[in-house]
Amino acid sequence: MRSVRGASAPDCGTRCCSVSPVHVVIMGCGRVGSTLARSLEDRNHTVSIIDADPDAFRRLGPGFNGDKVTGQGFDQEVLEKAGVRRADAFAAVSSGDNSNIIAARVAREAFGIQQVVARIYDPGRAEVYQRLGITTVATVKWTADQVLRRLLPAGAEPDFRDPSGTIRVDNLAAPTAWIGHRTVAFQEQAGCRIAWIDRLGEGMLPTRESVIQEGDVLHVAMREENAAHAYEVIDAGPDES
């Protein structure tokens, strides 16, 4: 992505990744848009935010330093005022599916922005535009999926499934039977991979010497066809033979 002129790299120590600051245009200054704008500024990126209602900009608070542009986010003149020609990314997160879809297409097709995300309430529409290359967030479906995963037993629904339905990623609290055992044994016996571990509020990548500890959350990737077998092994505990 292109770097933004005039923006300096954040001083955040060794934990900060070396990503150049970018300019993002956001359509919609509701709760999602305003939160996204502030989050981007906190990460040292520059932001222009568009909304048809100038009162909506109050959600940004007095500390917001980006551009506030009043108008329709699918209007090319409004997008020009928001600096769309120097933008690296565009997010359409207003409350209207049609407006978000149109704005996303204008940003991508008229201005050539590759990183485009549209918030869509109708999951059917979201799937169509996903196939057209516009990343969509289907709000209702996402929320329902998140609630469903928290209602059902572990493993009933994955936290992530790739578009082909072949690979799934599940989040598992460290199984009691596996605590104190090496991640290598867990992976070999269950036929899966631990992508990363959440431990004491930090993410860590397992090594050959890593041991599963109480309180760990394992992010486990596996083939869908192997999931039932993997959970049988996980529930049964390690084979010490």
Side-chain angles (χ1 to χ4, degrees):
M1 290 189 288
R2 303 185 300 276
S3 61
V4 178
R5 289 175 291 181
S8 58
D11 181 14
C12 51
T14 57
R15 292 179 59 194
C16 180
C17 61
S18 57
V19 175
S20 299
V22 298
H23 181 61
V24 181
V25 176
I26 300 170
M27 185 189 85
C29 194
R31 284 173 292 184
V32 173
S34 58
T35 300
L36 179 61
R38 290 193 301 268
S39 297
L40 286 164
E41 276 207 337
D42 288 345
R43 290 160 174 78
N44 205 50
H45 303 298
T46 61
V47 179
S48 295
I49 189 161
I50 302 167
D51 202 286
D53 180 7
D55 288 339
F57 299 131
R58 294 178 181 176
R59 293 188 177 94
L60 295 166
F64 180 72
N65 297 311
D67 296 323
K68 306 166 190 174
V69 181
T70 302
Q72 300 292 346
F74 47 79
D75 185 311
Q76 293 195 27
E77 290 186 7
V78 172
L79 288 168
E80 293 271 12
K81 290 179 182 178
V84 70
R85 292 197 181 275
R86 64 185 176 91
D88 301 274
F90 178 83
V93 292
S94 76
S95 59
D97 278 11
N98 289 337
S99 297
N100 289 341
I101 289 169
I102 294 169
R105 293 195 66 178
V106 170
R108 187 176 180 86
E109 296 168 14
F111 294 101
I113 299 177
Q114 297 301 308
Q115 297 292 97
V116 175
V117 179
R119 178 191 192 186
I120 306 295
Y121 285 90
D122 182 344
R125 285 183 174 183
E127 292 175 5
V128 170
Y129 282 90
Q130 192 82 35
R131 289 196 292 269
L132 292 177
I134 295 174
T135 301
T136 57
V137 179
T139 310
V140 174
K141 185 176 186 299
W142 183 88
T143 303
D145 284 348
Q146 293 299 307
V147 173
L148 185 65
R149 291 186 185 105
R150 286 156 179 78
L151 291 173
L152 298 178
E157 281 293 316
D159 192 64
F160 169 83
R161 183 181 280 116
D162 81 305
S164 72
T166 304
I167 304 297
R168 60 187 280 168
V169 178
D170 293 9
N171 297 345
L172 308 177
T176 302
W178 286 92
I179 292 173
H181 292 267
R182 294 170 64 191
T183 55
V184 170
F186 178 95
Q187 294 176 120
E188 290 177 349
Q189 293 183 33
C192 57
R193 294 289 180 270
I194 299 175
W196 79 95
I197 299 172
D198 290 334
R199 177 175 294 170
L200 300 175
E202 297 284 344
M204 60 167 287
L205 298 175
T207 67
R208 293 192 61 83
E209 305 305 320
S210 297
V211 173
I212 298 171
Q213 298 182 11
E214 185 175 0
D216 284 353
V217 176
L218 314 180
H219 298 263
V220 182
M222 64 185 78
R223 293 186 65 86
E224 183 68 47
E225 64 196 35
N226 188 52
H229 169 72
Y231 274 100
E232 286 180 6
V233 173
I234 291 168
D235 292 341
D239 182 357
E240 304 287 4
S241 60

